[in-house]
Amino acid sequence: MKRVVGIGAVLALLTTGVNGAADAQTRAIAGQVVWGPCGKQTSVTDRVLGGVGITPPAAVEPEQPGVECGQVRVPLDYRDPYGQHITLALNRIKGSVSRDANHLGVLLVNPGGPGASGQDMAKHVAASLPPQLAGRFDVIGFDPRGVGKSEPALRCVDPERYFAAPRPDQVPSGPAAEQALLGRAKDYAARCGNLWAWMLPYLTTENSARDLDRIRAALGEDRISYLGYSYGTYLGAVYATLFPGRVKRLVLDSSVDPSGNWYQTNLAQNTAFERRHRDFLDWTARHNNVYGLGRTTRQTSFAYYSMRRRLAARPAGGVVGPSELDDLFTVGGYANAVWPQLAGAWSRYVRQGDVQDLVAAWRQHAVQDAEDENSYAVYLGVQCRDAAWPRDWSRWHADMTRMHRVAPFMTWPNAWYNAPCAFWAEPGGTPVTVKADPALPPILMLQSRRDAATPYEGAMHLRRRFPSARMVVEPGGNHGVSLAGNSCVDAHLVRYLQDGTLPAADTSCRGRPAPVVTNRMAAEETAPAPLPGLLGVR
């Protein structure tokens, strides 16, 4: 019989105070990370799912010099720390400074999602920080439970079939079309429930935060520094709530509303993405001499939705229909840098009947594969389990019908992305109440004013939960503002990570310049910044 420890004893091990005996026991349970070369290993998940008709992801890229990989075992259920365990995959870019007073310890990074791997983000952060600062940290990336190289990795459907393009139009034309889309959502929820009934109850932000503390213990650290983007800010805030005494530095970039009501958060996203899409349409209109799609936002909006209707009847290249178009242009809501490419592809399609650039842009930014399906499965697993969702579809239908009238760009696509939560096998729980604690050091928050994925209003809700925090605001709409080309924002980040220095009060930085295309149809002239591709972008 396996040993089951009472919840009181478990929580005593996981409390926030710096208790030497409790932490020694946590470290003993967590063990130590054994670092070694990175490379593709066939996981138990790969072998099992290969036998049930779900294609495992392709082999990973070759090893990168200077990057080490390791694993940490964590309890599936923290109420039973000696029971079933799962494995988290980590990587490390080791600092060049020896472990003395100049070394700043470990910097854990998370790109959000939920469901995104943090290993590429760790490489990006280590390469983007000034060398004299990066050398003083061991930068640690990790795949949260269920993600990527962690074992098991959730996969619920065959991605080649589920994401086969063109998919049904996400904006239902009537009751029959809505029922067909509803059937897809029900089927996805059922497949996940059938395959992963033993794991879904434990796929929560709270458990991921407790996993973070197991990683800390396995690394042999008393405290950690943490840089989280997007949903990673919520994970960091929950960690800070549960373990305030374990935090050395905490940076939250593009913050999620801490209420934990994911249904309402997604409704707020619809409005924010509509605003960002109109920013893009306005920018396109101001460059009408380049793209020829309309001189006003009203005209470019008409041109955009005319293109969408045409693609419903005749998908570009046989693959880019209206849903694929939604996916592609949603990327423009995350980063201005892709606007010239999107507008150029759109212009060539409308004015020249050339589908090549539109299809190429979709393949570059929005085509979905096994890695995306894994990310989507974990996204739903966490969001559906973290908090309660409406189980009556009539509520969803009424809300989306109303919102679509004022925010047509994202309302229905966002609804179907989250619709499996209406039928999820595990009911939503009670999220952690995010709050400050006297043991928590002051934190740095970074935010763009017109962020669509994590709206500014929600970030301010989090800011009010942490009175000692300082927020640096960029006026643009890019999602993820640090280490993405804004030297002012990065200067605040560097000072804080280096010695904890924060601005005296909330402040702002100038935004990055709007992208400008000077040559007609120069869609590739402005290359996308690397950061958006690393974040947990839909």
Side-chain angles (χ1 to χ4, degrees):
M1 177 181 289
K2 63 184 179 182
R3 181 182 176 190
V4 178
V5 179
I7 187 64
V10 175
L11 293 179
L13 291 176
L14 303 172
T15 49
T16 59
V18 183
N19 183 307
D23 192 49
Q25 189 168 357
T26 301
R27 290 184 182 184
I29 296 172
Q32 289 185 327
V33 182
V34 178
W35 297 105
C38 301
K40 172 64 177 175
Q41 295 180 342
T42 301
S43 71
V44 173
T45 309
D46 290 344
R47 294 194 295 271
V48 171
L49 293 183
V52 297
I54 298 178
T55 306
V60 296
E61 68 281 355
E63 298 172 19
Q64 179 174 327
V67 181
E68 303 169 292
C69 288
Q71 295 179 328
V72 171
R73 287 175 57 78
V74 299
L76 175 68
D77 179 1
Y78 277 90
R79 295 170 299 180
D80 183 10
Y82 296 98
Q84 177 73 31
H85 278 60
I86 57 178
T87 302
L88 306 182
L90 283 65
N91 69 347
R92 175 175 73 171
I93 298 87
K94 195 173 182 180
S96 58
V97 173
S98 61
R99 280 271 176 169
D100 56 21
N102 289 320
H103 198 279
L104 294 172
V106 297
L107 173 63
L108 276 76
V109 300
N110 181 274
S117 166
Q119 298 199 36
D120 284 342
M121 176 61 73
K123 300 172 192 176
H124 172 72
V125 169
S128 300
L129 289 173
Q132 66 272 22
L133 177 60
R136 298 177 66 190
F137 278 110
D138 292 347
V139 181
I140 309 293
F142 64 97
D143 290 353
R145 54 174 59 201
V147 174
K149 298 175 189 175
S150 292
E151 297 182 11
L154 264 69
R155 300 183 189 103
C156 297
V157 298
D158 182 345
E160 292 184 5
R161 294 181 182 178
Y162 190 77
F163 295 129
R167 307 192 313 276
D169 190 344
Q170 296 175 116
V171 179
S173 58
E178 185 173 344
Q179 286 302 311
L181 292 163
L182 201 57
R184 279 174 60 89
K186 290 178 179 179
D187 181 65
Y188 195 94
R191 296 266 304 172
C192 288
N194 291 338
L195 284 170
W196 301 104
W198 64 273
M199 188 171 181
L200 293 185
Y202 311 105
L203 203 59
T204 65
T205 300
E206 180 177 351
N207 279 337
S208 290
R210 296 192 185 283
D211 291 346
L212 267 179
D213 204 56
R214 283 301 176 95
I215 293 172
R216 174 201 61 78
L219 293 172
E221 300 287 336
D222 292 329
R223 296 187 298 163
I224 62 170
S225 296
Y226 176 91
L227 168 58
Y229 293 85
S230 195
Y231 164 81
T233 64
Y234 181 65
L235 176 59
V238 171
Y239 182 80
T241 299
L242 298 176
F243 304 98
R246 301 298 184 195
V247 176
K248 183 174 185 178
R249 310 265 196 273
L250 182 64
V251 184
L252 307 179
D253 187 327
S254 306
S255 293
V256 170
D257 190 319
S259 68
N261 187 330
W262 297 127
Y263 182 78
Q264 292 297 328
T265 297
N266 279 282
L267 294 182
Q269 273 190 339
N270 297 339
T271 303
F273 267 102
E274 184 68 24
R275 180 176 60 201
R276 280 286 285 157
H277 186 59
R278 289 187 176 276
D279 288 346
F280 166 68
L281 295 175
D282 177 69
W283 178 87
T284 304
R286 285 187 280 112
H287 292 279
N288 186 56
N289 63 316
V290 177
Y291 301 114
L293 293 166
R295 294 183 176 85
T296 66
T297 304
R298 184 174 181 177
Q299 289 175 345
T300 53
S301 179
F302 177 82
Y304 178 83
Y305 286 104
S306 294
M307 171 176 63
R308 194 182 185 284
R309 285 190 296 271
R310 183 178 176 185
L311 290 172
R314 188 176 181 180
V319 291
V320 178
S323 293
E324 289 70 32
L325 188 77
D326 295 339
D327 295 345
L328 172 58
F329 278 76
T330 294
V331 178
Y334 286 88
N336 297 357
V338 299
W339 287 3
Q341 182 184 12
L342 297 182
W346 173 17
S347 180
R348 287 181 65 84
Y349 172 76
V350 169
R351 296 184 61 80
Q352 299 182 17
D354 187 342
V355 304
Q356 182 177 349
D357 286 355
L358 195 63
V359 173
W362 171 72
R363 294 193 186 282
Q364 179 183 354
H365 297 294
V367 71
Q368 294 166 303
D369 57 17
E371 182 179 339
D372 296 298
E373 196 278 324
N374 166 239
S375 179
Y376 182 48
V378 175
Y379 168 88
L380 290 172
V382 174
Q383 296 248 312
C384 300
R385 182 67 177 127
D386 259 2
W389 289 73
R391 291 280 177 159
D392 183 352
W393 183 253
S394 64
R395 163 82 180 279
W396 293 66
H397 175 84
D399 286 343
M400 303 316 149
T401 300
R402 171 181 53 83
M403 288 208 74
H404 181 73
R405 297 189 187 104
V406 295
F409 177 70
M410 180 58 79
T411 294
W412 277 111
N414 207 7
W416 296 119
Y417 196 85
N418 292 279
C421 288
F423 312 102
W424 205 245
E426 285 296 321
T430 302
V432 172
T433 301
V434 172
K435 59 184 179 180
D437 184 278
L440 182 68
I443 67 177
L444 176 64
M445 298 179 66
L446 308 170
Q447 184 72 28
S448 68
R449 180 79 66 172
R450 297 177 72 83
D451 191 336
T454 53
Y456 174 78
E457 296 79 7
M460 286 304 299
H461 293 164
L462 182 61
R463 168 69 180 84
R464 287 190 283 271
R465 300 281 182 102
F466 294 118
S468 65
R470 294 293 181 268
M471 179 182 280
V472 178
V473 177
E474 180 186 83
N478 292 294
H479 183 61
V481 297
S482 65
L483 305 181
N486 189 317
S487 59
C488 171
V489 170
D490 290 350
H492 284 287
L493 173 69
V494 168
R495 284 193 293 269
Y496 176 70
L497 289 177
Q498 186 169 278
D499 57 19
T501 298
L502 289 169
D506 290 353
T507 188
S508 62
C509 287
R510 288 185 178 181
R512 285 163 273 176
V516 175
V517 176
T518 56
N519 296 325
R520 188 172 181 81
M521 305 300 182
E524 292 76 33
E525 197 165 282
T526 304
L531 187 58
L534 300 175
L535 301 182
V537 175
R538 297 184 179 181

